[in-house]
Amino acid sequence: MVSTPAPAPGVAPPGTTDQAAALIEFRQVQKTYSNGFQAVTPFDLSVGAGEIVSLVGPSGCGKTTVIRMAAGLSSVSGGELVRRTDQLAYVFQDPTLLAWRNVRSNVELVAKLKGVDKATRAAAATAAIEMVGLGAFEKSLPRQLSGGMKMRVSLARAITSAPELMMMDEPFAALDEFTRENMQNQLLRLWRANGFGAMFITHSISEAVNLGHRIVVMAARPGRIARIIDSPSPPTKDDAPRDKAALADTAELVSSLLAGDK
Ligand SMILES: Nc1ncnc2c1ncn2[C@@H]1O[C@H](COP(=O)(O)OP(=O)(O)OP(=O)(O)O)[C@@H](O)[C@H]1O
């Protein structure tokens, strides 16, 4: 069952698990596909307003299934999924840009399809394009951009629709390590400016730890949560220095959980 009650008043600070302000709550949510395969066993998680929750786990543990249910793209087989916002945006591994539209036109597209008026979406697109550092490429076509630049267009397009909740399914997986780290920084810059909540799926432990206020470590067969870890040094709005040693310890903990040591 998926229900969408009225938006909760107030905005919780990043890292909160305050149920009243949660944008989305999974309550014992399960997924069994029509062939009888149980992809996700009872799953409890909430994502607060302005909170980034990363999901990391082995292939087949149900990460995409979870995010698809959250987005309403896949039905829930059991339990209850409560979503308190319809302001969603998606960013996938494939930036899915329209080849014949230039950067600005691609960035404005989702907001346009959502019916945002021309002046508002143009202003939002200008800000987003600047924020991802593509101001000089507004008129470029996708084929004239690198993989990292295309992903920045995809991020700018998502932000332009002013989402409260971003669903991100391995958005940076196809990028080289250097570009990937750069994109994580871009994403955090956008988050500091726009304050969206996010579910961020990744196979990369360092990415999960760098981005998440909380890190959900999943296990496979059957798909389930192994542990939810509060970041010891989460991203902050004022971009305060992070405790690298504490984050390295968290990465080690995630690694050992994934290896089944803990
Ligand atoms: N439509 C479907 N019908 C039956 N089984 C499915 C379907 N979609 C996914 N599955 C199975 O459900 C399990 C979870 O799949 P899902 O794509 O959610 O995993 P994932 O953790 O996102 O994997 P990956 O990291 O490889 O993308 C897998 O075993 C997959 O084979």
Side-chain angles (χ1 to χ4, degrees):
M1 185 172 104
V2 179
S3 51
T4 51
V11 174
T16 184
T17 53
D18 179 359
Q19 299 290 305
L23 292 173
I24 191 157
E25 280 176 54
F26 295 77
R27 299 175 183 158
Q28 294 282 294
V29 167
Q30 308 180 38
K31 177 69 183 184
T32 304
Y33 282 105
S34 54
N35 62 0
F37 182 77
Q38 193 176 21
V40 178
T41 57
F43 187 93
D44 287 292
L45 180 71
S46 65
V47 180
E51 179 184 30
I52 304 176
V53 173
S54 20
L55 289 95
V56 63
S59 192
C61 69
K63 302 181 295 295
T64 296
T65 301
V66 164
I67 216 168
R68 282 178 58 81
M69 289 191 290
L73 300 172
S74 183
S75 63
V76 169
S77 315
E80 189 184 11
L81 205 164
V82 180
R83 204 178 62 224
R84 296 193 176 85
T85 179
D86 285 328
Q87 299 304 313
L88 306 180
Y90 308 93
V91 184
F92 302 107
Q93 189 172 328
D94 181 347
T96 58
L97 307 180
L98 295 181
W100 60 91
R101 285 176 176 257
N102 67 23
V103 165
R104 167 167 285 276
S105 176
N106 266 293
V107 168
E108 285 194 30
L109 189 62
V110 173
K112 186 176 177 182
L113 293 174
K114 284 187 174 176
V116 177
D117 70 82
K118 202 171 174 180
T120 305
R121 68 173 191 260
T126 300
I129 290 168
E130 281 302 322
M131 249 186 281
V132 298
L134 289 177
F137 295 90
E138 279 203 4
K139 299 229 162 65
S140 301
L141 291 168
R143 66 180 153 77
Q144 297 169 310
L145 306 176
S146 69
M149 290 162 94
K150 283 184 207 165
M151 185 46 72
R152 284 191 268 159
V153 176
S154 175
L155 280 180
R157 179 180 54 192
I159 287 298
T160 297
S161 68
E164 284 187 304
L165 184 58
M166 293 262 270
M167 307 286 193
M168 312 185 83
D169 194 349
E170 298 190 54
F172 308 147
L175 306 174
D176 64 77
E177 194 60 28
F178 177 78
T179 309
R180 193 168 181 153
E181 277 178 25
N182 187 283
M183 291 306 305
Q184 291 169 30
N185 293 333
Q186 298 272 353
L187 179 64
L188 290 178
R189 276 183 62 199
L190 292 172
W191 171 78
R192 286 194 291 275
N194 293 270
F196 46 81
M199 295 181 77
F200 188 100
I201 292 180
T202 179
H203 277 115
S204 159
I205 295 172
S206 61
E207 190 165 85
V209 171
N210 185 29
L211 293 176
H213 295 108
R214 283 186 297 150
I215 301 111
V216 178
V217 183
M218 292 183 65
R221 305 197 178 281
R224 63 195 187 279
I225 293 176
R227 185 90 63 95
I228 300 179
I229 302 167
D230 288 323
S231 174
S233 183
T236 54
K237 280 288 158 73
D238 61 358
D239 198 16
R242 315 275 299 273
D243 182 341
K244 292 203 170 113
L247 292 174
D249 287 347
T250 302
E252 229 169 85
L253 171 61
V254 172
S255 178
S256 60
L257 286 165
L258 290 173
D261 297 346
K262 289 202 174 170

